Amino acid sequence: MTHTDCHLLIVDDDERIRALLGRFLRKNGYMVTMARDAAQARRLLAGLEFDLIVMDVMMPGEDGLALTRALRERIDTPILLLTAKGETEDRISGLESGADDYLPKPFEPRELLLRIGAILRRVPVVEVAPPKYLALGALRYDTDKGELWNGDAPLRLTGTEVSLLRRLAASRGQPVSRADLIDDLGRGGDDENGERAIDVQITRLRRKIEPDPREPRFLQTVRGTGYMLVVD
């Protein structure tokens, strides 16, 4: 998991601290959402998923310890507590409430960054299996077998079309350059001939997967780059 994949929730009633933390963490590559109190944090957590919560303990109304205990009954998102109290008993209370770490104020921003990184490294990475089938309108593409189906009837693909569709499906939603397609499909020769050969294969494949090949919906041209597969 990279920083740009991580979404942090900052919960602190001090507007100045929220702003400082937000700027610092964004500058270091994190996505950041702010909450001014426990009530706003609850609303955000009801609709969004976060990779880590950085929360002040001393807040008006429901404090950080109470919110941490409540959250631990239903989610396991890592929680880093911030507090002006640095006594041993206070740290123990924070950890007993279900927090993953506890950082006394004042602290160096660099230490906060290191604590966040350490917590995130301890979170197990869940491998998400890619979908076996991709929907292309009425068609269904089997990513395991490289087969294209229309209902129960398979559509005949040439070997080049199978390779081309497999490569584009592996990067669906992202443009793939003509140069990469030439390399992956082993289309040698000079650049101009290689690109022309790819364009011809794309045109043929569009005739098989597009309702209207003249206005491609699934196999789109990305101007100045190459092609991109867009699935339903």
Side-chain angles (χ1 to χ4, degrees), residues 48-182:
L48 296 171
E49 291 188 5
F50 296 93
D51 297 290
L52 186 142
I53 302 168
V54 179
M55 180 158 48
D56 186 31
V57 170
M58 302 299 291
M59 294 187 294
E62 185 179 18
D63 66 20
L65 294 178
L67 180 56
T68 297
R69 284 192 292 267
L71 293 178
R72 278 292 168 261
E73 295 178 359
R74 60 184 184 85
I75 64 173
D76 57 4
T77 304
I79 297 174
L80 171 60
L81 291 178
L82 306 177
T83 182
K85 297 181 177 182
E87 298 299 326
T88 301
E89 285 300 318
D90 297 313
R91 293 198 297 271
I92 292 174
S93 296
L95 297 173
E96 286 180 340
S97 70
D100 294 80
D101 203 351
Y102 191 99
L103 184 57
K105 297 178 180 179
F107 53 82
E108 288 292 329
R110 179 66 178 167
E111 182 178 2
L112 174 63
L113 202 63
L114 292 172
R115 297 278 188 116
I116 289 173
I119 293 172
L120 291 174
R121 284 194 296 273
R122 295 198 296 266
V123 177
V125 177
V126 179
E127 295 291 339
V128 179
K132 177 175 172 56
Y133 295 105
L134 301 179
L136 303 169
L139 305 182
R140 185 177 78 255
Y141 176 66
D142 186 326
T143 59
D144 288 345
K145 298 179 180 179
E147 297 174 345
L148 191 63
W149 295 77
N150 186 355
D152 295 328
L155 295 181
R156 183 180 177 278
L157 297 174
T158 66
T160 298
E161 290 167 348
V162 169
S163 298
L164 183 60
L165 190 52
R166 190 186 297 276
R167 175 64 180 86
L168 291 166
S171 301
R172 59 191 177 279
Q174 300 292 329
V176 182
S177 69
R178 286 182 174 87
D180 285 344
L181 292 174
I182 291 169

Side-chain angles (χ1 to χ4, degrees), residues 200-219:
V200 169
Q201 294 298 330
I202 289 289
T203 298
R204 291 174 177 170
L205 186 55
R206 279 175 172 159
R207 291 173 184 159
K208 296 183 178 181
I209 70 174
E210 297 286 356
D212 183 356
R214 293 170 298 180
E215 296 185 7
R217 171 185 167 192
F218 304 112
L219 189 41

Side-chain angles (χ1 to χ4, degrees), residues 179-193:
D180 285 344
L181 292 174
I182 291 169
D183 289 341
D184 292 340
L185 272 62
R187 290 291 180 267
D190 58 65
D191 291 344
E192 183 177 353
N193 286 333

